[in-house]
Amino acid sequence: METVVSGIRPTGNLHLGNYFGALRNFISMQNEHNCYFFIADYHSLTTHPTPADLNGNVRQILVEYLAAGLDPEKATLYVQSDVPEVAELYLFLNMNAYIGELERCTSFKDKIRQQPENVNAGLLTYPTLMAADILIHRATKVPVGKDQEQHLEMTRTFGNRFNRLYNVEYFPEPQAFNFGNELVKIPGLNGSGKMGKSEGEGNAIYFADEPEAIRKKVMKAVTDAGPTEPNQAKPEAIQNIFQLMKVVSAPETFSFFDQQYNACSIRYGDMKKQLAQDMINYTEPFRERIKAISSDEDFLLKVRKMGKEKAQENAARTIREIRKIIGF
Ligand code: TYM
């Protein structure tokens, strides 16, 4: 049995990228492994320092975790800030993380570009906080999308460095995980490489979206004038739509439009209509459950309390042992 840890930031509703990159794995892994899934609210402050409704955002992700099929009896579902032991481990790891390696991190360089007015120390040390999330439970598997690969690499570096410095074999090496295959990157609808909450209007399809909203976004997706030669390579925006179809539509639907593309007879309008319908069907059960769970305040409070207790018990043990190892 593996110990599994992963989290999602509460900076917006969950979208199909989160689902196919991470959440879908959470749901299948909870049946076989010792799982800890959390809501990364400390992390959200690195980009959203003054959220209008932090508690509401956290609650929404918890609702969506449950609606997607996470079972609080099987996996430990908790909120990062409910387990402040994480912050203590973050402090220890920061002592042995070097400025140079943190500055070289791709996500840090991206953020400097995206928010030049707020290049805070939390952004620089984002990877050590993420390492603390993972190492606090001494996890071995971390289900994440492709964009988190480098953070996992850094987590291994920090864990191994700790072991070396204190001459212990305390932290195992955590590996990024996706159903035993490659990590995935789900594309967005506006031609940008990645589906994400900060990638512009209309780029992401959310589980909480109403069918009409999904239809509108998909119909507006970027396409081109169409292929002019048989079996021509697909430009990026077209590849994106096909990739989305691959994840939500039936294999026959995908091959049908792929053949039409290759024969230069494709009509993107028809393809998008089909894609929108398949996305609506795919997300339908989630939408229903989101509404039901969201109105059950008692259940949500119970889940949150239970998760906090279970996660904190394990985290406190790690902190006790780490303090001893360091010599406090
Ligand atoms: P976040 O909140 O940006 O995204 C949550 C998860 O969804 C995945 N994801 C995607 N996967 C494929 N295609 C996409 N378009 C796409 N968009 C998002 C992300 O890869 C991620 O797995 N740093 C993390 C949160 C975190 C964490 C952790 C994860 C904090 N501590 C410890 C694992 C372990 C993040 O910002 O994810």
Side-chain angles (χ1 to χ4, degrees):
M1 183 148 76
E2 310 268 3
T3 299
V4 180
V5 170
S6 195
I8 297 183
R9 284 172 303 141
T11 53
N13 292 355
L14 295 189
H15 51 71
L16 290 176
N18 297 135
Y19 183 74
F20 289 107
L23 189 52
R24 186 169 57 153
N25 289 297
F26 299 3
I27 296 158
S28 68
M29 291 172 105
Q30 68 180 344
N31 296 313
E32 296 162 50
H33 301 293
N34 180 22
C35 293
Y36 295 89
F37 299 125
F38 66 96
I39 299 164
D41 57 349
Y42 285 151
H43 271 113
S44 69
L45 297 182
T46 61
T47 53
H48 299 69
T50 55
D53 181 11
L54 183 55
N55 198 43
N57 301 344
V58 167
R59 183 184 192 277
Q60 179 66 17
I61 302 294
L62 183 60
V63 167
E64 294 184 349
Y65 268 179
L66 295 163
L70 284 183
D71 180 345
E73 302 288 341
K74 291 182 182 159
T76 301
L77 306 184
Y78 66 100
V79 178
Q80 191 183 31
S81 65
D82 279 347
V83 184
E85 285 80 358
V86 169
E88 186 170 343
L89 182 54
Y90 167 58
L91 181 150
F92 293 144
L93 294 174
N94 272 331
M95 302 301 173
N96 307 322
Y98 303 119
I99 295 284
E101 65 191 338
L102 295 169
E103 280 175 344
R104 277 194 299 277
C105 179
T106 313
S107 64
F108 179 63
K109 292 191 210 157
D110 288 345
K111 287 293 185 259
I112 293 184
R113 242 173 281 128
Q114 288 161 11
Q115 52 182 69
E117 75 297 342
N118 181 21
V119 183
N120 60 75
L123 277 181
L124 182 69
T125 56
Y126 190 107
T128 52
L129 180 53
M130 184 156 158
D133 293 326
I134 296 168
L135 297 175
I136 195 95
H137 298 300
R138 303 168 76 195
T140 48
K141 289 271 181 290
V142 185
V144 282
K146 181 94 183 140
D147 59 326
Q148 301 298 318
E149 204 165 31
Q150 193 182 27
H151 290 151
L152 260 294
E153 177 92 51
M154 295 174 82
T155 301
R156 287 190 287 276
T157 301
F158 299 141
N160 286 333
R161 187 175 295 154
F162 181 94
N163 289 346
R164 231 179 12 256
L165 273 172
Y166 299 102
N167 203 12
V168 287
E169 299 257 336
Y170 190 70
F171 293 122
E173 277 201 342
Q175 304 293 336
F177 177 87
N178 179 40
F179 281 120
N181 298 320
E182 296 276 286
L183 301 184
V184 298
K185 179 170 89 172
I186 301 298
L189 287 166
N190 59 6
S192 88
K194 183 187 154 196
M195 183 175 288
K197 359 186 201 225
S198 45
E199 312 286 324
E201 259 317 281
N203 179 53
I205 300 289
Y206 298 95
F207 279 109
D209 277 348
E210 290 299 330
E212 228 12 73
I214 296 182
R215 225 170 256 128
K216 259 202 195 122
K217 286 192 234 183
V218 176
M219 293 317 285
K220 277 201 198 141
V222 178
T223 50
D224 60 13
T228 49
E229 286 168 37
N231 303 315
Q232 184 181 321
K234 297 183 181 91
E236 194 185 355
I238 305 303
Q239 261 181 40
N240 289 353
I241 301 183
F242 272 96
Q243 204 189 330
L244 287 168
M245 187 164 246
K246 194 159 218 159
V247 293
V248 297
S249 304
E252 310 82 74
T253 308
F254 178 88
S255 348
F256 174 79
F257 286 102
D258 198 42
Q259 276 160 20
Q260 288 211 324
Y261 181 90
N262 286 332
C264 301
S265 54
I266 192 159
R267 286 165 47 175
Y268 290 132
D270 292 347
M271 180 177 178
K272 290 201 267 187
K273 242 184 236 158
Q274 180 70 48
L275 178 61
Q277 191 55 50
D278 290 340
M279 282 180 166
I280 291 166
N281 295 346
Y282 200 95
T283 50
E284 180 70 40
F286 296 85
R287 233 176 345 265
E288 295 306 312
R289 288 199 295 266
I290 286 171
K291 286 178 193 150
I293 295 169
S294 195
S295 58
D296 196 344
E297 193 60 36
D298 288 349
F299 174 59
L300 290 170
L301 285 174
K302 205 177 97 192
V303 169
R304 184 157 174 180
K305 182 161 174 279
M306 197 165 92
K308 174 184 159 81
E309 280 167 11
K310 284 203 278 179
Q312 217 169 8
E313 190 187 315
N314 199 43
R317 180 179 338 114
T318 303
I319 289 296
R320 260 198 316 277
E321 292 170 353
I322 293 280
R323 281 175 157 252
K324 198 161 165 222
I325 290 171
I326 298 178
F328 281 97

